């Protein structure tokens, strides 16, 4: 009976919402890593393709002499400007990935049934995280925009455009926009989970008041 109750939890609305949170956090982590690993736009797919083409100098095939060295320097400086932001986003995504996994494990082990106040603690944590997501997203996007508005990015964009390369525009790219949208979706999922935790708390409290009906 205990094992059956543990498995039944995975079919509840709160468990489904928590699994959605795990998926959203994983996607945020992936998008943040793409932002960190992206050289800024040019991927180059002629012969070697992707990152290999870029790493082995193919991306600078249109440059010569000082222009090629300058392009490499600007790429490195641009990458270093974005690196702290991307790492912070990856750290937040990793924490958001672990958090619902821990809550699923706690609920499968029937901790909320034996200690119903845990559901109120869970609700409080969800509300705090949902509210904290808003300034975190603002910091993430504003920091990226400040990087794209920097002189390094502007000079880099002009240098590549002068050689006919496209994709080095100083604006948010798809993975960064996706990370912001996923963060908004995660905040809404946290608020929904908070409401479900309160509902489950009332259900557990009512069931404990009527042990004979169990």
């Amino acid at each position: 009976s205990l094992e059956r109750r543990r498995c039944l939890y995975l079919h509840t609305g709160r468990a489904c919402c928590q699994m959605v949170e795990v998926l959203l956090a994983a996607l945020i982590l992936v998008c943040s890593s793409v932002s960190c690993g992206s050289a800024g736009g040019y991927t180059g797919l002629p012969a070697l393709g992707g990152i290999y083409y870029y790493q082995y100098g193919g991306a600078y095939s249109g440059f010569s002499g000082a222009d090629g060295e300058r392009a490499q320097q600007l790429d490195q400086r641009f990458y270093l400007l974005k690196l702290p932001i991307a790492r912070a986003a990856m750290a937040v995504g990793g924490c958001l990935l672990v958090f619902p996994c821990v809550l699923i494990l706690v609920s499968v082990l029937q901790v909320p049934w034996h200690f119903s106040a845990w559901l109120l603690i869970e609700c409080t944590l969800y509300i705090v995280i949902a509210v904290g997501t808003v300034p975190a997203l603002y910091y993430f996007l504003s920091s990226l925009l400040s990087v794209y508005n920097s002189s390094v990015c502007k000079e880099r964009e002009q240098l590549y455009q002068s050689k006919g390369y496209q994709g080095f525009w100083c604006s948010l790219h798809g993975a960064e926009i996706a990370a912001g949208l996923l963060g908004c979706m995660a905040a809404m999922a946290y608020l929904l989970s908070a409401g479900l935790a309160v509902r489950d708390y009332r259900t557990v409290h009512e069931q404990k008041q009527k042990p004979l009906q169990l």
Side-chain angles (χ1 to χ4, degrees), residues 108-139:
V108 167
L109 295 177
Q110 297 291 307
V111 172
W113 173 256
H114 299 289
F115 181 58
S116 58
W118 169 260
L119 291 170
L120 297 179
I121 298 174
E122 183 177 317
C123 174
T124 303
L125 292 175
Y126 270 124
I127 293 175
V128 170
I129 294 175
V131 173
T133 301
V134 177
L137 287 175
Y138 174 78
Y139 171 78

Side-chain angles (χ1 to χ4, degrees), residues 85 134-150 172:
I85 306 168
V134 177
L137 287 175
Y138 174 78
Y139 171 78
F140 174 69
L141 295 176
S142 62
S143 298
L144 284 175
L145 288 175
S146 65
V147 172
Y148 288 125
N149 291 327
S150 65
L172 297 173

Side-chain angles (χ1 to χ4, degrees), residues 8-143:
L8 285 176
Y9 171 74
L10 298 178
H11 298 280
T12 63
R14 189 157 61 93
C16 292
C17 196
Q18 288 169 343
M19 286 186 279
V20 170
E21 293 164 11
V22 172
L23 177 61
L24 291 173
L27 292 175
I28 291 173
L29 188 60
V30 170
C31 291
S32 301
S33 64
V34 170
S35 177
C36 177
S38 173
Y42 186 73
T43 54
L45 299 174
L48 297 176
I51 191 171
Y52 297 101
Y53 182 75
Y54 196 91
Q55 280 185 336
Y56 288 104
Y60 306 112
S61 59
F63 295 93
S64 60
D67 286 341
E69 294 179 0
R70 185 58 180 166
Q72 292 182 3
Q73 292 174 1
L74 290 173
D75 277 349
Q76 292 174 357
R77 290 174 61 186
F78 180 72
Y79 173 78
L80 292 176
L81 286 176
K82 290 182 64 178
L83 186 59
I85 306 168
R87 283 182 174 176
M90 291 172 64
V92 171
C95 293
L96 295 180
L97 180 63
V98 172
F99 178 67
C101 292
V102 172
L103 294 183
I104 291 174
L105 178 62
V106 168
S107 297
V108 167
L109 295 177
Q110 297 291 307
V111 172
W113 173 256
H114 299 289
F115 181 58
S116 58
W118 169 260
L119 291 170
L120 297 179
I121 298 174
E122 183 177 317
C123 174
T124 303
L125 292 175
Y126 270 124
I127 293 175
V128 170
I129 294 175
V131 173
T133 301
V134 177
L137 287 175
Y138 174 78
Y139 171 78
F140 174 69
L141 295 176
S142 62
S143 298

